[in-house]
Amino acid sequence: MTKPRIGFFDFTGCEGCQLTVLNLEAEFLELLELVEIVEFRELMSEGGGELDIAFVEGSISRPDQIERLAAIRARSLTLVALGACADTAGVNALAALRTADDLRAEVYGSDSPHLATLPPQPLAAHVRVDHRVPGCPIDGREFLAVLQALLMGRPPELPSFSLCVECKLAELPCTFEAGVVCLGPVTRAGCDALCLRGGDRCRGCRGLIDNPRSGPYHRILEENGLTADDILREFRTFNVPGKGGA
Amino acid sequence: MRVEVRHLTRVEGHANLVVDVASGELRECRLEIVEAPRFFESLLKGRHYSDVAPIVARVCGVCSNSHTLVSLAATEAAFGVEVSAQTRRLRQLLAYGEILQSHILHLYFLAIPDYLGVTSILPLAKSRRELVTRALRLKKLANDICLAVGGRPVHPVTPCVGGFSALPAAAALQELRRQLVAALPDLEETVDLFATLPIPAFERETEYLSLSPDGGYPLFGSELLSSDGARIPVRDYRLAIEEYLTPHSTAKFARLGRESYMVGPLARVKNAFGQLSPMARQVAAALQLEPGTINPYRNLVARLVEVIHCVEQAIHLVDETLLPGLRREVPVVTARAGVGVAAIEAPRGTLFHAYHYDADGCIESADCVIPTAQNLGNIEADLRALVPQLLDLPRPELTLRLESLVRAYDPCISCSTHLLTVDFA
Ligand code: SF4
Ligand code: SF4
């Protein structure tokens, strides 16, 4: 039996999601038994050809990246957005609050046309994305679960409930009690409330749940006097508005 | 003859290497940084101090802990916050965890394939299984340090302005200590392996910069030391380091006293040789790494010597943290308007963050100077000196030599591109 050919690609991002894949030390060798990694620029010097699965990290923020992404799409059966940058624009989304020319002039001075950028966008703004692994960075276990489902020919599923559920199960005190805004009520679960366990708040890196107003948790936001606008403003840290984003 | 390597592999980020030689003369030699700029400094504008470190961590997945720690230090400097001895030790431990993580990744995953004639570590999973499992074990140890102290190996969550929002369990630290000691045989084998690698002979002396070694091997600190003798207060880094744009790169280049300078493992080892741990010094001797070493390929060896140093120091840090007993501390922070500058020795070299805060504790302007940007000019200068010596080599071999020179610096390109506000301060 030939092994499925998989590749890893990156656009504008920090490569933390690919690193999280490399950090699956115990499972990494098993993975190599199951699939053939044919492209992984951070790790190897070769590549090319048809792919069964392309895992793509990073946002699209330059015109030449659109072409490269389209070429990857054209030679891949399945394309998976790997991490927040690819899925919702990630922290790059902060750039959407300013104009690209402003940003460039501020950092490099005005005479720098070779540094032209587009407002950062998730992959789905440009190509069909079949599946996604949310998070900044991704969760290694979830990556394995998504890959496993794909290898078995099943569509991978992400949790549809809010992060608050995981936080409550862990019996953590609600962050709002300390007067700190938390995006847990409207953020997709799956990280096991990692930041809350670390004494921090949720900044929504896994993106919005499917129906943020249909569960009971959005009331926590209302009870704390937050309007939908307030929440969206907070959400902009990791989520660009529009296609693929929140 | 023109050598062009598009999208250099086994480096972090995107770069092209272009070398053009006509009738024995070097016409062009460029390291083009083509990574898309992300403008982090501008993105920070207006952000509340509690969000700053989590945002800048995302500059680089490989150095997210260094960015976090230096960011916290800069914010604390701006607000006049002093952290406890326990916090300082845990931050050191976290920083060493990251240096280990990054160095192991570089040594085994990015560099070794060049020397063993393979294109990546993957085929070695069959032919040299013990090597790959050892690499994975060591990497896991490094990740476990970052996980225990920082809450997550990439983009830590527990370090915060003033201290930590959650502490590692004492049992987790004890377990780390056990693992650190158990790693010694793996380290010995790693040293044996690297002792056999044919590291190319090439020498070029340059200026070497690191934090000053006065308080021990450089990691945090308020003073810089140049191998040319200059001592520069960190808060004056802008006066000493000149950054400039070049048309072929989205990253800025930097210079100090000379045309270019080097930061990173070799620079640190040279400036602070006497401060290396006893075991690290022994390994340095065994691998013929000395304060006088000026071969940039030997950055690789310096990295390995630092791995040994980090493991030994980490054991001490765990002991020093556990001995007085872990104390729960609640960080006390009062924001105020002000400027804060800090530097840390990140895996690839000295990393600077500087922030202007307004009275509400929100960022007015920010500046980050990252190690790879400081090294770029020096890498090009090395290439210019090296290419004429290699012209007789067959082209694939020449290309490999140049690529592995660039890789010896372990350039971290996705981070080298988010650069500065020109007229800061
Ligand atoms: S999602 Fe986060 S970890 Fe992944 S590439 Fe983007 S910034 Fe890095
Ligand atoms: S708690 Fe929120 S910000 Fe943290 S990892 Fe989970 S979804 Fe992301």
Side-chain angles (χ1 to χ4, degrees), chain A residues 10 25 41 107-108 136 198, chain B residues 14 58 143 165 417 419-420:
Chain A
D10 50 79
E25 287 92 9
R41 191 192 48 77
V107 178
Y108 295 96
C136 176
Chain B
H14 293 247
R58 268 78 185 178
N143 283 337
S165 57
T417 56
L419 299 154
L420 25 138

Side-chain angles (χ1 to χ4, degrees), chain B residues 31-303:
Chain B
L31 186 61
E32 302 180 338
I33 302 301
V34 293
E35 182 85 5
R38 287 161 82 203
F39 310 115
F40 265 92
E41 284 118 335
S42 303
L43 304 188
L44 285 176
K45 269 204 179 163
R47 304 302 303 209
H48 187 251
Y49 73 84
S50 60
D51 279 341
V52 171
I55 291 172
V56 284
R58 268 78 185 178
V59 166
C60 171
V62 184
C63 307
S64 58
N65 290 285
S66 296
H67 277 285
T68 300
L69 293 174
V70 75
S71 169
L72 297 176
T75 298
E76 285 155 4
F79 297 166
V81 171
E82 284 278 343
V83 299
S84 72
Q86 172 175 290
T87 289
R88 276 201 302 276
R89 275 196 284 269
L90 285 172
R91 285 184 181 178
Q92 271 178 22
L93 183 58
L94 183 57
Y96 279 145
E98 173 164 278
I99 294 179
L100 269 178
Q101 190 186 45
S102 174
H103 281 8
I104 296 287
L105 183 75
H106 181 262
L107 291 168
Y108 273 106
F109 289 71
L110 312 185
I112 246 190
D114 281 346
Y115 292 94
L116 299 184
V118 285
T119 51
S120 82
I121 195 176
L122 300 185
L124 301 179
K126 280 220 161 57
S127 58
R128 305 277 304 264
R129 190 135 184 123
E130 86 302 339
L131 180 150
V132 176
T133 47
R134 189 195 316 133
L136 292 172
R137 266 198 309 272
L138 287 170
K139 208 161 73 57
K140 177 161 188 325
L141 166 64
N143 283 337
D144 285 350
I145 299 177
C146 298
L147 176 66
V149 183
R152 176 166 59 188
V154 177
H155 304 327
V157 293
T158 60
C160 64
V161 179
F164 281 85
S165 57
L167 290 176
L173 291 180
Q174 264 147 7
E175 170 57 20
L176 280 186
R177 190 188 198 286
R178 199 194 56 72
Q179 280 178 259
L180 284 159
V181 173
L184 295 180
D186 279 347
L187 293 177
E188 267 174 47
E189 287 188 45
T190 305
V191 173
D192 289 345
L193 171 68
F194 278 82
T196 64
L197 297 189
I199 299 202
F202 164 65
E203 302 207 315
R204 192 182 73 84
E205 205 255 344
T206 184
E207 185 174 6
Y208 304 89
L209 182 82
S210 70
L211 283 164
S212 121
D214 291 344
Y217 196 74
L219 186 60
F220 299 106
S222 55
E223 193 180 51
L224 295 160
L225 175 68
S226 146
S227 57
D228 285 354
R231 284 185 175 268
I232 305 146
V234 163
R235 62 171 186 281
D236 294 338
Y237 76 105
R238 269 270 152 253
L239 305 174
I241 294 174
E242 183 202 352
E243 284 195 301
Y244 57 101
L245 264 179
T246 84
H248 61 257
S249 167
T250 56
K252 287 179 180 174
F253 283 49
R255 59 190 156 219
L256 203 63
R258 311 191 198 182
E259 176 206 16
S260 69
Y261 65 95
M262 181 197 272
V263 294
L266 188 60
R268 287 190 289 251
V269 166
K270 287 175 72 69
N271 284 354
F273 197 85
Q275 304 285 354
L276 282 166
S277 73
M279 242 176 8
R281 255 187 313 221
Q282 274 176 27
V283 169
L287 297 173
Q288 283 130 41
L289 184 76
E290 296 153 9
T293 301
I294 53 171
N295 177 352
Y297 284 102
R298 296 193 134 278
N299 237 323
L300 209 63
V301 179
R303 208 164 277 126

